[in-house]
């Protein structure tokens, strides 16, 4: 089997070399094709941080094992790490956090074992990076949560939980506030849960989840979250087991999967041969399991756990009275410990069952539509306008533009209603949402909306427009706070 490997920037080449040496010493039956990605590729003028050849190789091989990569600051370029995850639809980010004996934490000292898997949606949410300055004072980020995107990652999480033999799967969310976006994610979670009656499926609001994770992490098995919340919660979990040096990450897609450490390029220690390769090694071990190389994975993981248990450490963790090893010495010790079994969490050695390559080239982009369209009606429109005037002045102007089709319903500022009722204690910014609905309840069409747009633009700069739709009896938009 052949996989693509990108060494990365900063400490990337050092820790990648350490891991590949361990693989080689264990005769892992893999061939590596090195691909060009990262800072120096940006510097050569490739705006997405990878060469065309790298893209073709990765798409042909289906697996990318990568070191951390730097995103150049202030050049208007996007992170190659995020681009790779999104371009190849690696929709599930799986991060396993386990107590590692020899890595002291508050929980290991209190004898509270941690074995947690966070599955984070990896494509959507605010990570689309679709942002606009609506006025000089107001920035807007669009947050996309989609039904097919949510179903993809949630189904992966349930399937993984079932295979792992976990009992509990939890959805972390903020659906109490973001009723449509997080509400949709939560709805998808319980929809998928019906197909897995053997698993206890529940949900926890994300702030409460954080509190519970830092007090009783042992109560959770698998937690699935949207992208940004998952990003934050997974770093929190890295802290529970000893820090970023121990946090592996797998980005799983239907065609291409990417394995990498959670941490970055650590520029402060790069080139010194002192970085801790454990996180990248754990990511590599999870890649071996993904490829069916169970025996290699178990032998290497047992050697790593044994090494940590015996007090061997790099400079970033461990007992300071025992001298720290450098990156090469640390990996050599792991190699010397092949065949040793750790006292705690020893992995069962199962035979290798290499997966046959099921990769096939796609001819066109897959379109994901999960639901038949219900009967849809336009019942109004939200016009986001720039104005530094008071709400009642805006209301008077807007009412003149309603004509025979529209009535002005309410005006809000940063989501809080300020007209027809509100409080003078609500601080304002120079951007309002003016909501119009059909005057007599008859459905509207797009021409009606553009007529209103043209009329209103005589008085205001319109920054953005959103249709208000209903599906059957259901409102497909949120109400303003206080409406
Ligand atoms: P970082 O994770 O590189 O470093 C944070 C701190 O942790 C530093 O003190 C560093 O020395 C230490 N550290 C990290 N990994 C370590 C290891 N294996 N062994 C010992 N100590 C380690 O985060 P930072 O400084 O915010 O980011 C640096 C660069 O990395 C940025 O350009 C960022 O964009 C990039 N980055 C790339 C990621 C990826 O490729 N997936 C993920 C996160 C950041």
């Amino acid at each position: 089997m052949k996989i693509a490997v990108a060494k990365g920037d900063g400490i990337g080449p050092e820790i990648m070399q350490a891991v590949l040496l361990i693989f080689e010493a264990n005769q892992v039956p893999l061939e590596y094709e090195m691909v060009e990605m990262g800072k120096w590729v940006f510097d050569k003028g490739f705006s997405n941080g990878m060469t065309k050849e790298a893209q073709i190789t990765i798409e042909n091989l289906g697996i990318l094992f990568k070191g951390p990569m730097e995103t150049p600051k202030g050049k208007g370029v996007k992170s190659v790490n995020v681009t790779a995850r999104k371009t190849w639809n690696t929709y599930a980010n799986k991060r396993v956090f386990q107590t590692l004996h020899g890595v002291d934490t508050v929980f290991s000292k209190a004898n509270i074992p941690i074995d947690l898997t966070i599955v984070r949606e990896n494509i959507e949410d605010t990570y689309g990076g679709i942002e606009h300055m609506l006025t000089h004072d107001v920035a807007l980020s669009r947050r996309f949560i989609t039904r097919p995107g949510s179903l993809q990652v949630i189904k992966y999480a349930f399937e993984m939980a079932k295979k792992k033999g976990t009992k509990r799967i939890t959805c972390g969310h903020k659906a109490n506030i973001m009723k449509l976006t997080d509400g949709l994610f939560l709805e998808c979670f319980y929809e998928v849960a019906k197909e897995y009656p053997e698993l206890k499926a529940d949900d926890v609001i994300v702030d409460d989840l954080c509190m519970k994770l830092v007090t009783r992490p042992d109560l959770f098995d698998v937690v699935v979250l949207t992208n940004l919340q998952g990003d934050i919660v997974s770093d929190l979990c890295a802290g529970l087991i000893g820090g970023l040096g121990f946090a592996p990450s797998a980005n799983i897609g239907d065609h291409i999967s990417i394995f990498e450490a959670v941490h970055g390029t650590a520029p402060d220690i790069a080139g010194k041969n002192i970085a801790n390769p454990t996180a990248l090694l754990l990511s590599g071990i999870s890649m071996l399991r993904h490829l069916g190389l169970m025996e290699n994975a178990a032998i290497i993981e047992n050697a790593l756990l044994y090494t940590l248990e015996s007090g061997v450490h790099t400079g970033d963790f461990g007992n300071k009275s025992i001298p720290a090893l450098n990156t090469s010495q640390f990996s050599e010790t792991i190699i010397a410990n092949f065949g040793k079994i750790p006292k705690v969490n020893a992995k069962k050695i199962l035979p290798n069952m290499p997966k046959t390559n099921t990769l096939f080239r796609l001819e066109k982009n897959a379109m994901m539509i999960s639901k038949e369209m219900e009967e849809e009606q336009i019942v109004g429109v939200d016009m986001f306008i720039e104005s530094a005037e008071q709400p009642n002045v805006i209301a008077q102007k807007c009412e003149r533009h309603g004509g025979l089709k529209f009535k002005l319903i309410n005006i809000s500022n940063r989501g809080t209603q300020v007209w027809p009722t509100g409080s003078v204690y609500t601080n304002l910014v120079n951007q309002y949402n003016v909501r119009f609905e059909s005057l007599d309840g008859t459905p509207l069409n797009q021409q009606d909306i553009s007529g209103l747009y043209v009329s209103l633009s005589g008085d205001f700069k319109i920054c953005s427009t959103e249709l208000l739709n209903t599906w059957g009896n259901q409102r497909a938009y949120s109400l303003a706070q206080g409406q």
Side-chain angles (χ1 to χ4, degrees):
M1 272 186 292
K2 207 177 202 184
I3 62 163
V5 174
K7 291 181 187 165
D9 305 311
I11 59 168
E14 302 158 46
I15 54 174
M16 183 58 82
Q17 189 189 13
V19 172
L20 295 186
L21 276 176
I22 294 171
F23 282 9
E24 200 183 316
N26 194 247
Q27 292 169 5
V28 170
L30 283 178
E31 278 180 55
Y32 311 109
E33 189 154 339
M34 296 296 165
V35 292
E36 297 184 341
M37 290 174 83
K39 181 179 180 298
W40 59 278
V41 183
F42 276 119
D43 292 344
K44 272 190 187 166
F46 293 88
S47 60
N48 62 356
M50 69 178 104
T51 60
K52 191 72 201 156
E53 292 74 32
Q55 177 168 353
I56 293 170
T57 304
I58 295 161
E59 288 178 2
N60 282 337
L61 297 177
I63 298 284
L64 171 63
F65 187 32
K66 68 175 276 295
M69 289 173 193
E70 183 182 329
T71 307
K73 289 195 186 95
K75 291 189 184 167
V77 290
K78 295 204 175 187
S79 154
V80 61
N81 306 305
V82 178
T83 303
R85 291 172 207 155
K86 290 193 334 188
T87 309
W88 294 314
N89 203 47
T90 62
Y91 51 80
N93 181 243
K94 175 181 148 191
R95 296 181 180 182
V96 179
F97 302 99
Q98 265 180 337
T99 303
L100 293 163
H101 288 258
V103 182
D104 277 348
T105 65
V106 178
F107 296 100
S108 67
K109 285 179 186 157
N111 262 330
I112 298 177
I114 299 175
D115 183 3
L116 251 175
T117 304
I118 302 288
V119 179
R120 158 191 172 195
E121 197 287 317
N122 219 13
I123 314 275
E124 306 190 336
D125 204 337
T126 45
Y127 285 66
I130 304 167
E131 302 194 325
H132 297 91
M133 292 301 299
L134 296 190
T135 75
H136 284 288
D137 282 349
V138 180
L140 171 76
S141 168
R142 285 185 183 245
R143 177 171 194 247
F144 286 101
I145 301 293
T146 72
R147 177 177 285 279
S150 303
L151 287 173
Q152 252 184 345
V153 63
I154 291 166
K155 279 181 184 162
Y156 169 81
F158 271 91
E159 205 45 41
M160 191 268 302
K162 186 176 151 184
K163 278 198 196 124
K164 202 175 162 221
T166 48
K167 300 220 156 34
R168 179 181 183 193
I169 177 163
T170 306
C171 178
H173 63 87
K174 195 74 186 171
N176 52 330
I177 304 295
M178 291 172 282
K179 294 184 195 301
L180 296 191
T181 47
D182 275 34
L184 177 59
F185 193 77
L186 187 59
E187 188 183 301
C188 291
F189 176 82
Y190 281 115
E191 214 170 291
V192 176
K194 284 190 209 134
E195 294 161 33
Y196 295 84
E198 68 276 31
L199 290 174
K200 179 181 179 302
D202 61 4
D203 68 281
V204 182
I205 292 174
V206 67
D207 35 345
D208 187 25
L209 176 68
C210 289
M211 193 272 292
K212 290 190 164 116
L213 281 170
V214 296
T215 47
R216 289 296 306 272
D218 54 319
L219 298 181
F220 294 91
D221 287 334
V222 173
V223 184
V224 58
L225 302 111
T226 52
N227 203 342
L228 178 60
Q229 292 168 26
D231 192 7
I232 298 166
V233 169
S234 50
D235 270 26
L236 179 151
C237 292
L240 302 178
I241 52 117
L244 286 179
F246 303 96
S249 161
N251 302 283
I252 307 289
D254 290 336
H255 296 273
I256 295 168
S257 296
I258 304 171
F259 296 83
E260 61 183 337
V262 171
H263 62 71
T265 59
D268 50 334
I269 57 165
K272 297 181 181 163
N273 192 29
I274 57 170
N276 177 1
T278 305
L280 189 65
L281 181 58
L282 285 169
S283 313
I285 291 168
S286 121
M287 176 179 74
L288 298 185
R289 292 211 169 89
H290 181 84
L291 294 170
L293 301 173
M294 303 303 185
E295 186 178 345
N296 296 102
I299 294 173
I300 298 172
E301 191 166 359
N302 281 341
L304 168 69
L305 297 179
Y306 183 91
T307 305
L308 295 172
E309 257 181 15
S310 60
V312 171
H313 65 93
T314 47
D316 55 311
F317 75 102
N319 184 345
K320 298 289 173 222
S321 64
I322 303 173
L325 299 191
N326 66 28
T327 313
S328 328
Q329 293 163 332
F330 187 75
S331 48
E332 281 154 17
T333 311
I334 294 172
I335 293 170
N337 285 334
F338 283 163
K340 305 246 173 78
I341 305 296
K343 284 196 209 83
V344 190
N345 274 342
K347 303 298 163 196
K348 214 165 142 190
I349 303 194
L350 302 169
N352 277 352
M353 290 180 297
K355 282 192 185 155
T356 46
N357 193 345
T358 51
L359 248 190
F360 53 92
R361 281 202 76 80
L362 294 177
E363 295 302 324
K364 55 181 184 178
N365 296 74
M367 172 60 73
M368 307 190 299
I369 297 179
S370 71
K371 251 190 165 181
E372 289 295 307
M373 288 279 280
E374 290 169 48
E375 200 195 326
E376 183 176 296
Q377 281 186 349
I378 303 174
V379 295
V381 63
D382 278 345
M383 296 280 187
F384 294 83
I385 58 161
E386 178 170 351
S387 174
E389 293 169 303
Q390 286 294 305
N392 56 341
V393 177
I394 294 173
Q396 275 166 19
K397 287 188 185 173
C398 285
E399 279 178 324
R400 291 205 297 268
H401 297 288
L404 297 173
K405 297 258 177 176
F406 294 93
K407 61 175 179 241
L408 178 66
I409 297 297
N410 78 326
I411 300 176
S412 57
N413 195 294
R414 291 192 285 172
T416 306
Q417 179 167 296
V418 290
W419 185 92
T421 57
S423 163
V424 286
Y425 292 99
T426 303
N427 281 357
L428 303 173
V429 294
N430 62 355
Q431 203 253 342
Y432 288 89
N433 177 13
V434 181
R435 177 164 286 183
F436 290 93
E437 284 180 8
S438 166
L439 183 64
D440 53 8
T442 50
L444 299 160
N445 59 37
Q446 298 217 67
Q447 283 75 22
D448 298 327
I449 304 295
S450 38
L452 176 66
Y453 188 101
V454 171
S455 173
L456 200 63
S457 60
D459 268 330
F460 300 103
K461 178 183 135 196
I462 302 171
C463 311
S464 168
T465 303
E466 291 294 341
L467 296 179
L468 302 180
N469 291 306
T470 56
W471 299 333
N473 292 328
Q474 210 186 329
R475 219 182 329 105
Y477 53 93
S478 62
L479 298 178
Q481 224 161 34
Q483 191 184 347

